Amino acid sequence: MQIFILHPGKANYPEIDAYTKYFAGIECQVSSGTLADYKKIANPENYVLWCIMGFYPKSPTARFVIHDYRSLSVGRNSAWKDSIKRRLSPRPDLRIFQNESMRALMDFNDGVDTIYLPMGVPDWIFATGAERNPMLPTGTYCYLGEITRERGFVRFIADFLATRRNSDTLVLVGPAEKEISDAYLQSPGILFTGRLAQRDALAVVRNCEIAISTIPYKRPYNVQTPTKLLEYAALGKRIICNDSPSNLNAAAEFGIQCKVTGPDVFSSICNFHGDMVPKNDPSTLLHLRWTNVIGASGIERYLAGI
């Protein structure tokens, strides 16, 4: 079977690597790329087209089409954007959602089969050693993910600077909006790593003492599982998180140990010491490996039926 994983090309998609390794392991031929890449294929009618959504108003030729909603729309008018996608996206053969809350928000009512494939973590994350990598940055706190104004990072960084002790450092791992990096690049205790390969990004998280999961309270972040929280826990980190619904729900569902704060994380922990938060036990989270998550989703049954 030939599978092409189609993506918009605008973000990191750790699930693409997970899907590729999983299905290559069951003797599928897996490739990935943008719509421009797919259009170069000579025999698209033989392919399973697995679309990481995105908005694709026309469905390219394929043997079987999957629409996989890893995320809902972000930014201004996100609900309106999703309503446009609901009305104008072509009808696939199968839809995939992270969870029931995301499916309910999209509210398709066209009879297309739906399965749930939650977020996972790389299988290799549990095999990495506990030693720090001296070649990569270290710090008191770290955050893994996109650093944007929409995600509240101007307020987040300002809160850190207003409350930091002289020795505290905050390592921001991931792509940052230029306005934010320009404004805070020279601020004491702030380090921007920029975009890193996944293994290096997680190695930086391992190097730091405490991992921070600050998630917006609004749509769609309030219904999407925060992958960073799963990765922090799988690394056995001490975690501090704000009380956004997605943090609270994921921590409760998976038994992740967290110090929960209000919206202003650092103001909430002024007299806090890191050892007040227990480390997480990775051995209790092995079911979050992508191999387990994909295998439990039921997707193979659909592919076998093609």
Side-chain angles (χ1 to χ4, degrees), residues 42 44 71 73 101 137 254:
S71 173
S73 297
S101 297
F254 302 119

Side-chain angles (χ1 to χ4, degrees), residues 9 26 46 55 77 84 113 115 117-118 128 145 154 183 217 277 289:
I26 57 173
N46 294 333
F55 179 47
N77 303 313
I84 294 296
D113 282 0
I115 64 172
L117 202 165
T128 54
V154 171
Y217 295 78
V277 177
R289 293 180 296 189

Side-chain angles (χ1 to χ4, degrees), residues 20-276:
T20 300
K21 290 179 179 177
Y22 183 90
F23 291 106
I26 57 173
E27 300 183 350
C28 295
Q29 297 178 19
V30 186
S31 53
S32 62
T34 63
L35 188 57
D37 298 316
Y38 186 68
K39 288 180 177 179
K40 297 175 184 176
I41 291 176
N43 56 336
E45 65 277 1
N46 294 333
Y47 276 75
V48 171
L49 181 61
W50 189 316
C51 305
I52 307 294
M53 308 298 286
F55 179 47
Y56 308 103
K58 294 182 179 180
S59 186
T61 300
R63 186 178 179 184
F64 189 87
V65 178
I66 299 170
H67 286 182
D68 186 349
Y69 287 86
R70 293 288 92 197
S71 173
L72 301 185
S73 297
V74 299
R76 292 182 179 179
N77 303 313
S78 60
W80 176 79
K81 293 176 187 176
D82 284 334
S83 71
I84 294 296
K85 292 177 182 179
R86 181 171 59 250
R87 295 199 304 270
L88 300 183
S89 292
R91 190 174 185 269
D93 297 294
L94 177 69
R95 286 195 186 94
I96 297 175
F97 290 97
Q98 274 194 38
N99 54 47
E100 168 59 23
S101 297
M102 289 176 65
R103 187 211 62 78
L105 281 179
M106 289 304 295
D107 193 28
F108 289 103
N109 289 295
D110 54 7
V112 172
D113 282 0
T114 295
I115 64 172
Y116 299 106
L117 202 165
M119 293 304 294
V121 299
D123 292 27
W124 50 259
I125 201 172
F126 296 99
T128 54
E131 302 83 13
R132 295 185 176 187
N133 184 338
M135 303 301 293
L136 292 170
T138 63
T140 313
Y141 304 101
C142 68
Y143 169 88
L144 174 62
E146 294 184 2
I147 296 102
T148 65
R149 288 164 293 179
E150 183 187 4
R151 292 172 179 260
F153 267 84
V154 171
R155 176 173 174 175
F156 177 74
I157 295 173
D159 184 45
F160 169 76
L161 293 173
T163 59
R164 72 179 287 265
R165 293 165 291 194
N166 289 337
S167 59
D168 285 348
T169 53
L170 172 63
V171 183
L172 298 167
V173 186
E177 285 183 349
K178 188 175 186 302
E179 292 84 353
I180 295 177
S181 58
D182 286 350
Y184 294 104
L185 193 60
Q186 302 302 321
S187 297
I190 299 289
L191 174 63
F192 294 91
T193 70
R195 190 186 300 274
L196 298 176
Q198 188 180 30
R199 285 182 182 267
D200 287 341
L202 293 177
V204 173
V205 173
R206 186 184 293 281
N207 280 354
C208 296
E209 296 175 27
I210 298 171
I212 306 288
S213 180
T214 177
I215 306 293
Y217 295 78
K218 61 186 179 181
R219 174 185 177 138
Y221 305 103
N222 60 340
V223 296
Q224 295 175 181
T225 302
T227 308
K228 63 177 64 61
L229 189 67
L230 308 186
E231 292 172 337
Y232 295 162
L235 287 170
K237 299 304 297 180
R238 304 181 192 274
I239 301 171
I240 298 174
C241 67
N242 67 340
D243 56 350
S244 67
S246 55
N247 275 330
L248 298 181
N249 291 339
E253 181 176 359
F254 302 119
I256 295 173
Q257 300 294 316
C258 301
K259 166 69 175 178
V260 179
T261 74
D264 294 316
V265 171
F266 296 104
S267 294
S268 302
I269 57 170
C270 285
N271 299 312
F272 174 79
H273 297 283
D275 56 7
M276 294 179 179

Side-chain angles (χ1 to χ4, degrees), residues 264-304:
D264 294 316
V265 171
F266 296 104
S267 294
S268 302
I269 57 170
C270 285
N271 299 312
F272 174 79
H273 297 283
D275 56 7
M276 294 179 179
V277 177
K279 292 183 178 180
N280 281 277
D281 180 2
S283 69
T284 66
L285 299 166
L286 294 176
H287 59 288
L288 294 178
R289 293 180 296 189
W290 272 119
T291 297
N292 300 63
V293 172
I294 297 170
S297 69
I299 182 60
E300 287 185 66
R301 175 169 59 90
Y302 283 90
L303 298 183

